[in-house]
Amino acid sequence: RCQNQKPSINHKMKFTLFAIMATTAAAARPQLSLQVRDGNFDGLDGLDPSLTWSSSTTSGDYDLEVGVDVAARPTADIASLPRSAWGKATRSFGAWGVSARADIERENMDNAAIEVNANNEGDDLSFKLFANAGSSGGSLNNIEATKGFTSGDARVTINPRMDMSTRDVDATITWDAGNTAVSLEANRAAQSIKVTQQVSDRTEVSVDANKDEQTFTVAQQIDDQNKVTPSFGLRSGKVSVAWERDLGDDNSLTTTVKPDEAIDMEWKDSAWTANINMPISGTSIDGANISVKRDVNF
């Protein structure tokens, strides 16, 4: 005799997620990404294209959003194409805006990563929690809160966080007065501070310090098209230089050089964005990793 089994919360969640994806009608513009896997240029097998799609709709008091990341390659195994999917529900409860989002990955369909946000703009207060829910049960991983207020001409924010598994607590405190900003981060093991000063319309200086390293950065706007940002590690001696070139119409090319580490390039051209990472050792380039993506209409 067959017995009806009560579906698990996880199976209900996955069914609801894909049901919403099947019924939402206000589809957003999909995004096509093209990557070179592991720096492999040998034929089309080295390409790793994917298609990211999202959609939104409204049901009663709830705003619903869903999205999916799908491999865009020919295959007879249709089930292997979806890589990840997510769903999000948002609604208001009085002065509070509350949202809950669930993410599932193809490698672990029996587990969902949950993120819940609650925000009260009038009180400048928000809460966030991260959890997991699956066939083997659920767990609360992290919780955090953010409180903001005005002190004189500055905005102050306090952001305490707790890891529920270890009970470790850390916090970030920021003080922003426009031209000057200070950020202090502390936990049981270490503390760090970052100070940023807008020296002029074209120059910004920042110092990021902890017990292991102190980094000094200067961002200099050379002209309307060119910005150079060198950084110096005062203890390690590491140096990096970023050059950003404005190509007009919100297009840009940014190149960052870290000697004996890598050369990174990001090229934004209209709907296209290309990223190139080239690890370097001395004067030798040890291969390249390329990622290209763009928004497409169907």
Side-chain angles (χ1 to χ4, degrees):
R1 185 175 62 180
C2 295
Q3 296 181 347
N4 293 328
Q5 295 182 347
K6 186 177 180 180
S8 67
I9 294 176
N10 189 52
H11 285 111
K12 288 181 180 179
M13 179 174 54
K14 288 191 289 185
F15 175 80
T16 303
L17 176 59
F18 286 106
I20 294 173
M21 292 178 62
T23 57
T24 48
R29 179 181 298 176
Q31 186 179 82
L32 178 66
S33 297
L34 184 65
Q35 297 187 16
V36 178
R37 287 194 297 238
D38 302 323
N40 180 8
F41 295 89
D42 297 331
L44 295 178
D45 290 340
L47 299 180
D48 188 23
S50 64
L51 188 67
T52 303
W53 171 88
S54 63
S55 182
S56 62
T57 189
T58 301
S59 177
D61 295 331
Y62 291 88
D63 294 326
L64 304 176
E65 300 174 69
V66 291
V68 64
D69 182 17
V70 179
R73 64 175 187 274
T75 180
D77 184 10
I78 302 299
S80 69
L81 292 179
R83 296 175 172 175
S84 62
W86 59 270
K88 181 179 179 181
T90 305
R91 70 158 294 177
S92 296
F93 295 91
W96 290 88
V98 180
S99 67
R101 171 171 170 147
D103 289 76
I104 56 175
E105 302 288 338
R106 182 182 63 192
E107 292 78 9
N108 189 6
M109 295 291 288
D110 291 328
N111 184 72
I114 309 296
E115 179 180 334
V116 179
N117 290 274
N119 181 49
N120 187 321
E121 292 186 0
D123 291 336
D124 205 348
L125 177 65
S126 65
F127 296 93
K128 185 181 295 186
L129 67 84
F130 301 89
N132 286 93
S135 57
S136 59
S139 64
L140 179 60
N141 302 328
N142 301 87
I143 59 173
E144 65 176 79
T146 302
K147 172 63 179 176
F149 58 91
T150 301
S151 176
D153 295 331
R155 172 170 168 77
V156 180
T157 60
I158 303 173
N159 174 216
R161 302 175 292 273
M162 174 180 283
D163 185 322
M164 300 303 294
S165 61
T166 63
R167 301 296 179 181
D168 287 339
V169 177
D170 62 86
T172 299
I173 301 174
T174 63
W175 181 87
D176 191 341
N179 289 337
T180 305
V182 179
S183 176
L184 175 65
E185 186 163 347
N187 56 38
R188 189 164 54 185
Q191 299 78 40
S192 65
I193 185 171
K194 181 175 182 178
V195 180
T196 302
Q197 176 67 47
Q198 189 76 38
V199 179
S200 67
D201 292 341
R202 293 182 174 271
T203 306
E204 182 181 273
V205 177
S206 67
V207 178
D208 194 347
N210 56 47
K211 67 176 183 178
D212 298 318
E213 180 65 287
Q214 299 80 45
T215 303
F216 180 73
T217 302
V218 179
Q220 181 66 48
Q221 190 75 43
I222 305 300
D223 52 35
D224 291 341
Q225 287 78 39
N226 296 281
K227 181 179 180 180
V228 177
T229 307
S231 293
F232 308 91
L234 302 182
R235 175 169 292 188
S236 65
K238 291 184 177 180
V239 177
S240 70
V241 180
W243 170 40
E244 181 179 350
R245 171 72 175 177
D246 187 346
L247 303 177
D249 298 325
D250 293 326
N251 302 323
S252 64
L253 175 63
T254 303
T255 303
T256 303
V257 179
K258 299 178 182 179
D260 282 330
E261 290 188 28
I263 299 175
D264 293 297
M265 301 178 67
E266 181 180 69
W267 179 18
K268 295 181 179 180
D269 186 2
S270 187
W272 290 93
T273 300
N275 291 91
I276 303 174
N277 169 262
M278 295 178 289
I280 57 175
S281 177
T283 58
S284 302
I285 297 178
D286 302 327
N289 299 291
I290 300 175
S291 171
V292 182
K293 63 181 180 181
R294 70 154 294 160
D295 293 331
V296 293
N297 285 316
F298 289 96

